[in-house]
Amino acid sequence: NMVPGDLRSPFDPSGLRLGVASITTRGMKEAEMAELAAVINDVLDKPTSKAVISQAKKRIRELANKFPIPN
């Protein structure tokens, strides 16, 4: 799938596209999507920071626990 607005070929993409099926299955909504985007942004901004990565894992774990996979 191409990223909207990407001018490069689908065989040489320049963007990142994330699916959300597993997130919505858990019952997450817009607020949680914003939180996930913030976590991704923080890690992409400082990918070698152990503190940022540790905090990201904590935030994701909290979301996963709040929205468990349905049976």
Side-chain angles (χ1 to χ4, degrees):
N1 292 334
M2 290 187 65
V3 175
D6 190 357
L7 302 177
R8 292 167 61 172
S9 161
F11 300 106
D12 183 29
S14 63
L16 178 65
R17 185 177 191 140
L18 304 173
V20 295
S22 62
I23 297 168
T24 57
T25 297
R26 288 175 174 257
M28 294 185 196
K29 303 279 186 201
E30 291 84 355
E32 292 79 29
M33 303 296 177
E35 174 69 9
L36 291 168
V39 171
I40 292 167
N41 185 65
D42 291 347
V43 173
L44 290 175
D45 191 41
K46 296 182 180 175
T48 60
S49 169
K50 292 182 189 281
V52 169
I53 293 170
S54 177
Q55 183 63 19
K57 287 179 181 181
K58 179 179 181 263
R59 291 160 71 186
I60 296 302
R61 195 174 301 112
E62 289 170 355
L63 274 175
N65 289 335
K66 186 175 176 183
F67 294 91
I69 297 172
N71 297 341

